[in-house]
Amino acid sequence: MAKAVLYDSVLCVGCRLCEAACAEKWKLPYTDEIAEAEKTSAQKLTTVTTHGERFSRKLCMHCIDPACASVCPVAAFEKTAAGPVVYHKDLCMGCRYCLMACPFQVPSYEWNARLPYVKKCDMCAERVSFGGVTHCSEACPFEATITGERDEVIEIAKQRIEASPDDYHPAIYGMQEVGGTSVLMIGAVPFEELNMPVGLPKEALPDFTWAALKYVPDVVVLGTVLMGGVYWITHRREEVAAAEGGQQ
Amino acid sequence: MSRFMPRTFWQWVFAALMALAAYATYIRIFYGLGGSTNLSDEFPWGIWVGFDILCGVGLAAGGFTLAAIVHIFNIEEFKPVVRPAILTAFLGYVLVVVALMFDLGQPHRVWHPLVHWNPRSVMFEVGWCVTLYTTVLFLEFLPVVLERLGLKKARRVLRGVMLPIIIMGVILSTLHQSSLGSLYLIANGKLNTLWYTPLLPVLFYISAIAVGLAMTIFESWHSSKAFGRELEWPLIQKLSRALAVVIAVYLTMRFLDLSRRGAWAALEDPGWESRLFVLEIMLTAVPMLLLFREKTRQNPHTMYVAVTMFLFGFVVNRLNIAVTGMERAAGVAYIPKWTEVVITLAIVAAGFAIFALAAKHLPIFEPAHGSEQEAEGAPNGVQPAATPGD
């Protein structure tokens, strides 16, 4: 079954061990300055963000039907059966449609490289696909970030909300947003106060482009019939002229 | 050497622009997109996409529009403007590919969509269509080159397969002109509601037809000035009527759509979006109203003004979708870097220069009849009307 990550803003103390673990996995530099920037980039694939006395995290949401995977003209993004959305850099031609399409503004680009690639959280597919947990989950001392089966972590989220209803905003982010995600969030306050985009469509975003794209074969077939037909009608005159000419 | 030295003012401007563009290209290659653009993770597509590609492909739409009018609908009288329209289109697409090489992070992999398929991707479809259609335009333009070289046999062979090529060109254009609009359907929740609509592909297609007609008028006017030719005036007047009608259809659809979606309310939001929306609509509606007036259509100068105004309206529309409408969701303001602007201007200037060269050395404007036509005209003295490939 598909795995998922649950982030619980209520349990998070903002220690940033998840950031450090992520940087270590990707062999990226991790300094105080980078930590304080609270901004994802090609140098930092997840970040903790501070909102008054509360914290939130930004990482790839691993949508169930990801916009990045649908828009990529070379299929460089893949939603794996285990849950992670992974990036095949050897295919990428650098059009950056994935950056433009992502509803969570997740993919980062190596803007200063001569031959740049996209960088983003891959939910530690190399571990999660084989039953392991992400580096950030492993690093978290407070179970604010956990990895598990999607059904199970949803159950855990529900239990946490039920157990202390005063501490939690009664909703799970990622259940419905853009058709559902494999990273889920719960917190004390509505999600817009935790830096998450709200008001996203409940449908998967690729449905919106497919609504137009599915007509491509029809346009080809109808167009050929129509153009050929119009040509046949409008060029009758020459046929007649040619026929009459031949009789003379 | 001296014949390559710039002489007139505009030649100096052109030379200076090309020198700047060479420097900008150096920056692009050695300092990457970060050094040569103001793009960011939040704002990944700038004017190289919004202008060079979206407008470039649109402004080249005259090729398929005129090819359909003359060769499919057999409205022969427009024959004199088909060749310049196809040349513009071919140049346009080649320059779009040049711009794409600047914009892509891995330009040497531009062929990847042809091998690594993703049929769910609008960009995949656009990539295929643009590749195939550029080939089609090359074949549609080839007769002109063959005529110049006097290769009559090759021309006759090509003429035999021209009808399917032209039909293919119209269909490929229909697909990718509309798909450039579909690219933005994924930006649901990002693109401002003044522009985001499920009708984007249809609106892109209709406005491409309009701008194809407008470009044909625009370049007829310019080439008549530049080469001291007579303007194909009755033709231009008819095209301008068609242009007014297509703009009217486009605007009607636009207004109906905005009303159905209740999007007019977005105009009350303060900010650049509503102002640039009003500018766009003005630059579309005013030229339309002007073109509906007989007085405007009777005077080449007023018509030129109206058509140029519409071309600007088209460009503002595409830039509003690519830039204005995307800024607020991105949370950052995007203003192109000088290198982005210089490369864009240089590509436009190169387009004008190559068109002028081609018009000088190839039979673009000469009517297709004459000695050659007599040699290979239809049998029995019947003049072939609007044969595909002329």
Side-chain angles (χ1 to χ4, degrees), chain B residues 56-72 78 81-93 133 136-138 140-141 165-171 173-174 176-177 208-217 219 390:
Chain B
V57 170
L59 293 167
F64 92 89
T65 313
L66 265 296
I69 289 175
V70 172
H71 296 310
I72 306 291
F78 291 106
V81 288
V82 173
R83 280 186 174 182
I86 287 177
L87 174 63
T88 311
F90 181 55
L91 282 179
Y93 278 83
Y133 186 55
V136 162
L137 281 170
F138 172 74
E140 286 181 2
F141 189 65
I165 289 177
I166 285 168
I167 292 182
M168 206 176 136
V170 175
I171 290 169
S173 294
T174 305
H176 72 267
Q177 292 286 1
I209 292 174
V211 85
L213 296 171
M215 271 301 277
T216 307
I217 298 173
E219 78 204 6
D390 277 352

Side-chain angles (χ1 to χ4, degrees), chain B residues 74-301:
Chain B
N74 201 17
I75 307 174
E76 301 161 31
E77 55 184 318
F78 291 106
K79 225 172 149 186
V81 288
V82 173
R83 280 186 174 182
I86 287 177
L87 174 63
T88 311
F90 181 55
L91 282 179
Y93 278 83
V94 170
L95 293 173
V96 163
V97 175
V98 171
L100 189 62
M101 300 310 271
F102 278 89
D103 190 67
L104 286 182
Q106 307 270 348
H108 57 293
R109 292 178 176 177
V110 66
W111 52 275
H112 272 202
L114 303 183
V115 179
H116 306 287
W117 288 26
N118 181 13
R120 276 180 95 198
S121 164
V122 180
M123 181 88 80
F124 165 79
E125 189 236 316
V126 172
W128 264 95
C129 283
V130 169
T131 308
L132 291 175
Y133 186 55
T134 308
T135 314
V136 162
L137 281 170
F138 172 74
L139 292 172
E140 286 181 2
F141 189 65
L142 198 54
V144 179
V145 181
L146 296 177
E147 186 181 313
R148 174 75 171 79
L149 299 174
L151 298 169
K152 284 178 191 155
K153 200 172 168 194
R155 232 195 119 185
R156 216 166 298 141
V157 172
L158 197 57
R159 183 174 285 181
V161 294
M162 203 42 98
L163 177 64
I165 289 177
I166 285 168
I167 292 182
M168 206 176 136
V170 175
I171 290 169
L172 287 169
S173 294
T174 305
L175 288 177
H176 72 267
Q177 292 286 1
S178 57
S179 287
L180 288 177
S182 309
L183 283 179
Y184 285 85
L185 289 178
I186 202 79
N188 192 328
K190 277 190 172 182
L191 180 59
N192 189 290
T193 179
L194 289 170
W195 293 282
Y196 187 91
T197 157
L199 286 183
L200 268 172
V202 184
L203 292 171
F204 264 59
Y205 183 56
I206 299 176
S207 53
I209 292 174
V211 85
L213 296 171
M215 271 301 277
T216 307
I217 298 173
F218 180 81
E219 78 204 6
S220 284
W221 194 90
H222 271 282
S223 52
S224 78
K225 291 270 157 198
F227 305 113
R229 294 168 46 252
E230 218 172 297
L231 196 60
E232 299 94 347
W233 187 235
L235 279 193
I236 300 304
Q237 282 187 310
K238 278 190 189 158
L239 280 180
S240 69
R241 274 181 193 250
L243 173 58
V245 172
V246 179
I247 301 176
V249 171
Y250 169 76
L251 276 181
T252 308
M253 186 175 269
R254 196 77 196 278
F255 281 22
L256 283 174
D257 170 66
L258 285 160
S259 306
R260 292 269 160 83
R261 292 186 298 110
W264 293 110
L267 278 176
E268 286 163 27
D269 295 345
W272 280 103
E273 290 95 340
S274 45
R275 279 178 242 175
L276 285 165
F277 173 85
V278 170
L279 175 71
E280 172 195 330
I281 296 298
M282 294 298 279
L283 285 174
T284 315
V286 171
M288 177 195 72
L289 294 173
L290 285 173
L291 289 172
F292 272 123
R293 283 174 72 234
E294 205 180 348
K295 250 183 150 178
T296 315
R297 276 181 283 114
Q298 275 171 348
N299 181 336
H301 295 286

Side-chain angles (χ1 to χ4, degrees), chain B residues 335-350:
Chain B
I335 292 161
K337 212 173 228 177
W338 73 266
T339 31
E340 290 177 80
V341 177
V342 161
I343 293 290
T344 297
L345 289 177
I347 287 174
V348 173

Side-chain angles (χ1 to χ4, degrees), chain A residues 171-218:
Chain A
I172 305 174
Y173 192 91
M175 293 293 282
Q176 292 187 318
E177 282 73 14
V178 293
T181 60
S182 298
V183 170
L184 301 147
M185 283 194 187
I186 49 176
V189 287
F191 297 105
E192 61 263 42
E193 294 173 40
L194 296 175
N195 204 30
M196 296 308 293
V198 291
L200 291 175
K202 288 187 175 64
E203 302 90 340
L205 293 184
D207 292 350
F208 293 101
T209 43
W210 188 247
L213 208 51
K214 68 180 175 188
Y215 291 112
V216 166
D218 307 40

Side-chain angles (χ1 to χ4, degrees), chain A residues 39 65 69-72 89 91-97 100 102 108-109 111 114 116 206 208 213 234-235, chain B residues 30 34 40-42 44-45 71-72 74 103 105-106 109 112 116 118 120-121 125 163 171 183 188 190 330:
Chain A
K39 189 180 175 307
D65 189 358
S70 91
V71 299
C72 180
K89 65 185 278 193
L91 298 179
C92 180
M93 65 174 191
C95 71
R96 311 182 301 285
Y97 195 6
M100 184 275 215
C102 177
S108 291
Y109 208 53
W111 292 103
R114 282 186 194 171
F208 293 101
L213 208 51
T234 57
H235 287 71
Chain B
F30 288 96
S40 59
D41 288 347
E42 293 79 16
W45 283 3
H71 296 310
I72 306 291
N74 201 17
D103 190 67
Q106 307 270 348
R109 292 178 176 177
H112 272 202
H116 306 287
N118 181 13
R120 276 180 95 198
S121 164
E125 189 236 316
L163 177 64
I171 290 169
L183 283 179
N188 192 328
K190 277 190 172 182

